[in-house]
Amino acid sequence: MAIGSGLGAQIGIAAESSYGTFVAPAKFIEFTKESLALKKTTATSAGIAANRLLALASRRVVTRREAAGSLDLEVTNKGMGLLLQALMGTTVTPVQQVATSAYLQTHTLASIAGKSLTIQKGVPLTTGTVTDKTFLGAKITSGEFACEQGGMLTSTFEFDAKDCDETQTLAAASYSNMAPFHFGQMALKTGSYGSEAALDGIRKVSVKIERPQDVERFYANQSALKKEPVENDQVKISGSLETDYVATTLDDLHTSDGTTSLVWEFVGPLIAGTYFETFRIKLPAIKLDEGPPTVDGFGVVKPTFNFTGLYDGTNLPVIEYMSTDITL
């Protein structure tokens, strides 16, 4: 029996081989908050019947079923691969670094067609019995990463899903010993692609990657369920840089509408050899939209520069993840 509160909750995930087909979770995530839930569309008959003052329960029908919600978690040194793959689109196999226990995952931006997850949520009753809610065909519609002075690197993933199934057997959760990436490991670099240099004065960074999709593909012959969402717009990448005004580098880029490459990375403890636990986002081209410095008092000037990620014509955005995970 589990603890009859959120302390007894669990979330497990697995990559699906086909959209909406259940795969038993084998990877379990330590999360901080979630809002995954069934959404149903109903219709109730408005037919007139003599002297009937209230609609009949039997005349209400469910015309659509789907699910959606978000998942908040700290970015850890293990276990992030499936989520990163579902967000970025490239099918990734971790590459062993020489003969060490370090494995590199390179998640390059690509189409997310065919990239769906089974997400199984265990929700405890106060009695300690954990109920199963399994979300099939879960596709990531956006992923946001953020880290501020003194904090952890956190992430929020938004999902659209085909259905919620409550008939599956809840998998027994197991966890490896994971550690979060944090501000003390953070570096931010800008400049020409491939030769970016550390930028001083950075207090907080956030990056959001949105994967627009048509999630309204409800057709006849589908038993009120949708077909796999199809990408229907270009990827949107945005973010912000909260700073102290220690140099004019970002200010000048805002003024000129210049382009710079951005590398945001977290380098943790040594795994083996010369390979360290790493989480790195590489955006080959960003432009600053707003945030020129203004003075609003006696204190240090603290502009926040908002940016948009674009394509430089050659290099695609990448998330690199170095861990001891042999598989995603």
Side-chain angles (χ1 to χ4, degrees), residues 156-205:
T156 298
F157 294 93
E158 298 280 347
F159 294 92
D160 175 86
K162 181 177 182 178
D163 197 13
C164 178
D165 180 0
E166 299 186 8
T167 65
Q168 300 295 336
T169 300
L170 188 67
S174 61
Y175 302 92
S176 58
N177 187 19
M178 294 181 283
F181 291 102
H182 58 83
F183 183 80
Q185 302 165 334
M186 187 173 92
L188 187 90
K189 304 174 183 179
T190 58
S192 300
Y193 181 78
S195 58
E196 299 88 353
L199 192 63
D200 195 12
I202 301 299
R203 303 171 58 88
K204 180 180 179 180
V205 179

Side-chain angles (χ1 to χ4, degrees), residues 117-323:
L117 302 171
T118 293
I119 303 178
Q120 188 177 64
K121 178 172 74 169
V123 184
L125 299 170
T126 56
T127 58
T129 299
V130 182
T131 63
D132 160 64
K133 295 184 184 297
T134 299
F135 298 89
L136 305 174
K139 292 186 70 73
I140 293 178
T141 57
S142 74
E144 184 169 12
F145 305 90
C147 185
E148 63 183 338
Q149 187 182 74
M152 304 289 193
L153 172 60
T154 61
S155 61
T156 298
F157 294 93
E158 298 280 347
F159 294 92
D160 175 86
K162 181 177 182 178
D163 197 13
C164 178
D165 180 0
E166 299 186 8
T167 65
Q168 300 295 336
T169 300
L170 188 67
S174 61
Y175 302 92
S176 58
N177 187 19
M178 294 181 283
F181 291 102
H182 58 83
F183 183 80
Q185 302 165 334
M186 187 173 92
L188 187 90
K189 304 174 183 179
T190 58
S192 300
Y193 181 78
S195 58
E196 299 88 353
L199 192 63
D200 195 12
I202 301 299
R203 303 171 58 88
K204 180 180 179 180
V205 179
S206 68
V207 173
K208 185 174 185 179
I209 300 171
E210 299 177 68
R211 306 305 308 256
Q213 297 161 71
D214 184 347
V215 298
E216 294 292 321
R217 299 187 67 213
F218 290 91
Y219 306 141
N221 307 311
Q222 296 296 318
S223 303
L225 302 176
K226 70 176 69 177
K227 298 198 77 171
E228 180 177 1
V230 173
E231 293 155 282
N232 63 353
D233 201 351
Q234 293 179 318
V235 176
K236 302 181 189 308
I237 300 177
S238 59
S240 65
L241 306 172
E242 292 188 16
T243 73
D244 280 359
Y245 194 48
V246 302
T248 64
T249 304
L250 296 175
D251 190 17
D252 292 343
L253 286 168
H254 173 263
T255 300
S256 67
D257 202 39
T259 301
T260 186
S261 174
L262 181 146
V263 175
W264 182 31
E265 66 182 10
F266 296 78
V267 178
L270 179 69
I271 298 174
T274 58
Y275 304 103
F276 295 80
E277 296 171 354
T278 303
F279 179 87
R280 180 182 294 115
I281 295 178
K282 299 167 70 174
L283 304 179
I286 68 165
K287 286 184 179 286
L288 303 182
D289 299 317
E290 56 182 296
T294 57
V295 179
D296 60 1
F298 296 115
V300 172
V301 176
K302 300 180 184 297
T304 295
F305 295 91
N306 298 318
F307 66 83
T308 298
L310 300 167
Y311 181 42
D312 70 354
T314 303
N315 306 288
L316 289 168
V318 173
I319 297 179
E320 295 176 346
Y321 185 55
M322 184 87 74
S323 74

Side-chain angles (χ1 to χ4, degrees), residues 40-43 61-65 218 223-225:
K40 60 184 182 182
T41 301
T42 63
V61 292
V62 176
T63 59
R64 284 178 28 165
R65 287 174 61 92
F218 290 91
S223 303
L225 302 176

